[in-house]
Amino acid sequence: MKAAEVRSKFIEYFKSKGHTHVESSSLIPASDPTLLFTNSGMVQFKNVFTGSEKRPYTRATTHQKSVRAGGKHNDLDNVGHTSRHHTFFEMLGNFSFGDYFKKEAIHYAWDLLTNVYKIPETKLYVTIHINDDEAFKIWNKQEKVPAEKISRFDKDNFWQMADTGPCGPCSEIFYDHGPQPNCPDPKNCKVGCSCDRFVEIWNLVFMQFNRDDKGIDHPLPKPSVDTGSGLERLSAVMQGVASNYDTDLFTDLFKVMSNVSGKKYSKGHNDETSIAMRVMADHARASAFLIADGVIPSNEGRGYVLRRIMRRGIRYGKKLTEKSLILPTVKEVISKMSDVYPELKKRQDFILSTVKTEEDKFLETLEHGTNLLTSEIKKLKTKEIPGEIVF
Ligand code: GLY
């Protein structure tokens, strides 16, 4: 099943259960100083959870553009080296604002996964918060998930958007991708193992508290539900591949990179070319979407994070070819994703000119630095370059 269908089936399912389909919000959170970027589906509903904003619906569903690079949820340094880390990703979610709670949230998730996507129950595992006996009972008695497939964790099963704000215990659903060659302990591999065998595909957060700046949790006016399922991970499951990067969300980007560089992407390999292509694919997506939402590369705040993402991408791109790789990759992102996110097409010229300017600036800086270093090395009488020169 293509990612586009995974996305639309999710939204259609929740619409059929009385949820309003709400458009993805911007990657720049509206007047929220606690967050650098929208990092999950619940961000646009933060004030609805706390009760300070009212909406004409109590159930919503979204496919939300999200970035995790800086701040509480920061995946930047892992990107490219694993099969499932991203800076930019899409989060599918369903939300209840004081409407339904644990029983329905768990039922909807299990029903959609096993009856609509038809994922075999044998491949699914769940986790709950260490103290959440109610969730255990619902999984075990209502959905008939065997007790031995339900594990309890403490901190890993408590979700916070940021240091302050709505939060609560959560229950995660994992998919078993089968034994992995990189597993540190294959005999005892289970949910929570550091290898990529058990991958979290859905997080159901039972929103119950609003955490203040002293770390004190205040009960929300009404218990609510916030869920997040990464489209990239779910698509990997639906396409029978172990890595998000082997789904149709990324393979077209690798084709463009291969055409430009003459190098080949190798599925699941950690060779220099494949790592560089994954880094570039991820960072080109993040760059296109962040610039479309108004972030400009700069030396502070959001702009600085974008600059780091772009320059990391360009640097890895240079391992593959002297030609520009980021520009054609960003172009492909725009053409691939504009039917779902029309802002990309609308701001295409601005996105591409911003990428080109940043690439030119970075290459100039690199060239200047490299020339300086080379000439200083030539002058060296000892093995040390003076601190002032390095600075
Ligand atoms: N808001 C739930 C999650 O991002 O996992």
Side-chain angles (χ1 to χ4, degrees):
M1 185 183 289
K2 297 254 195 224
E5 202 184 333
V6 176
R7 190 194 290 113
S8 62
K9 273 200 164 21
F10 188 98
I11 301 294
E12 287 313 313
Y13 177 84
F14 283 103
K15 275 168 71 178
S16 79
K17 306 291 178 197
H19 292 63
T20 298
H21 176 202
V22 179
E23 285 302 319
S24 170
S25 63
S26 166
L27 283 167
I28 306 179
S31 54
D32 188 341
T34 67
L35 266 189
L36 212 47
F37 299 114
T38 297
N39 63 7
S40 55
M42 59 76 68
V43 171
Q44 66 166 315
F45 301 119
K46 191 176 154 184
N47 294 337
V48 190
F49 284 120
T50 60
S52 64
E53 185 191 337
K54 294 270 174 283
R55 301 256 179 131
Y57 44 78
T58 55
R59 297 174 171 215
T61 182
T62 58
H63 51 86
Q64 173 66 49
K65 303 179 278 189
S66 306
V67 163
R68 293 189 178 179
K72 185 157 197 66
H73 298 274
N74 182 0
D75 291 339
L76 182 60
D77 292 333
N78 290 319
V79 173
H81 298 274
T82 73
S83 59
R84 60 193 156 82
H85 280 100
H86 305 286
T87 55
F88 170 85
F89 61 97
E90 288 176 77
M91 188 155 259
L92 305 166
N94 58 293
F95 306 90
S96 153
F97 310 114
D99 186 319
Y100 59 85
F101 199 43
K102 289 186 196 180
K103 254 169 64 179
E104 295 85 347
I106 289 175
H107 178 68
Y108 289 150
W110 199 246
D111 184 39
L112 177 57
L113 292 178
T114 59
N115 294 322
V116 178
Y117 292 128
K118 300 202 184 307
I119 300 173
E121 287 182 21
T122 50
K123 298 289 265 174
L124 298 172
Y125 291 75
V126 299
T127 65
I128 54 172
H129 187 258
I130 195 158
N131 299 325
D132 199 347
D133 295 333
E134 189 189 1
F136 178 87
K137 233 161 118 189
I138 298 169
W139 279 117
N140 185 238
K141 298 272 177 304
Q142 178 183 290
E143 304 303 332
K144 310 278 181 276
V145 174
E148 62 276 14
K149 292 184 83 182
I150 307 171
S151 340
R152 293 176 186 247
F153 292 93
D154 190 0
K155 288 201 180 93
D156 284 347
N157 278 83
F158 192 91
W159 200 84
Q160 294 165 249
M161 176 202 83
D163 291 334
T164 60
C167 55
C170 61
S171 180
E172 299 179 324
I173 305 173
F174 285 75
Y175 180 82
D176 179 4
H177 279 282
Q180 298 293 306
N182 67 339
C183 182
D185 188 2
K187 273 204 193 109
N188 298 307
C189 183
K190 54 180 192 279
V191 170
C193 178
S194 63
C195 80
D196 285 337
R197 174 168 180 169
F198 296 95
V199 173
E200 178 210 328
I201 54 167
W202 205 339
N203 186 15
L204 317 179
V205 184
F206 309 123
M207 284 289 185
Q208 283 170 285
F209 308 109
N210 190 14
R211 184 163 293 181
D212 68 19
D213 52 7
K214 294 184 190 67
I216 298 168
D217 292 335
H218 304 275
L220 289 176
K222 287 181 187 159
S224 296
V225 169
D226 149 37
T227 86
S229 172
L231 173 69
E232 296 74 11
R233 292 181 182 193
L234 199 50
S235 299
V237 169
M238 296 308 292
Q239 293 173 24
V241 292
S243 164
N244 298 357
Y245 289 93
D246 294 337
T247 65
D248 65 319
L249 289 163
F250 292 92
T251 44
D252 294 339
L253 305 182
F254 297 145
K255 275 185 210 142
V256 168
M257 287 182 232
S258 288
N259 288 342
V260 175
S261 67
K263 303 255 168 75
K264 286 264 162 307
Y265 181 75
S266 311
K267 273 187 179 181
H269 281 73
N270 264 356
D271 57 294
E272 194 176 63
T273 298
S274 304
I275 291 174
M277 286 196 182
R278 287 195 288 271
V279 169
M280 177 57 86
D282 175 275
H283 292 4
R285 281 168 30 112
S287 305
F289 277 92
L290 282 169
I291 299 168
D293 279 351
V295 185
I296 309 290
S298 73
N299 282 339
E300 55 184 26
R302 297 187 173 108
Y304 181 60
V305 178
L306 172 61
R307 173 160 280 166
R308 278 189 62 203
I309 292 174
M310 294 179 79
R311 292 188 170 196
R312 187 169 183 259
I314 296 164
R315 195 158 50 76
Y316 274 87
K318 286 291 159 221
K319 293 177 191 247
L320 304 179
T321 173
E322 274 313 305
K323 295 181 204 152
S324 171
L325 208 52
I326 191 165
L327 259 181
T329 314
V330 166
K331 259 189 208 155
E332 181 64 20
V333 172
I334 296 172
S335 97
K336 244 183 110 55
M337 311 278 289
S338 283
D339 57 337
V340 185
Y341 299 101
E343 62 272 28
L344 292 173
K345 186 98 209 145
K346 226 165 94 194
R347 300 191 193 129
Q348 165 162 268
D349 292 346
F350 179 64
I351 297 170
L352 294 176
S353 67
T354 306
V355 171
K356 172 93 182 75
T357 307
E358 184 61 15
E359 182 173 48
D360 289 347
K361 263 195 203 156
F362 182 45
L363 295 181
E364 213 175 275
T365 306
L366 265 187
E367 196 185 326
H368 175 71
T370 311
N371 289 344
L372 184 63
L373 184 64
T374 314
S375 81
E376 288 303 320
I377 289 172
K378 274 192 199 138
K379 285 192 244 161
L380 278 186
K381 298 205 168 49
T382 67
K383 283 192 174 158
E384 270 176 33
I385 303 179
E388 319 77 270
I389 302 285
V390 176
F391 183 75

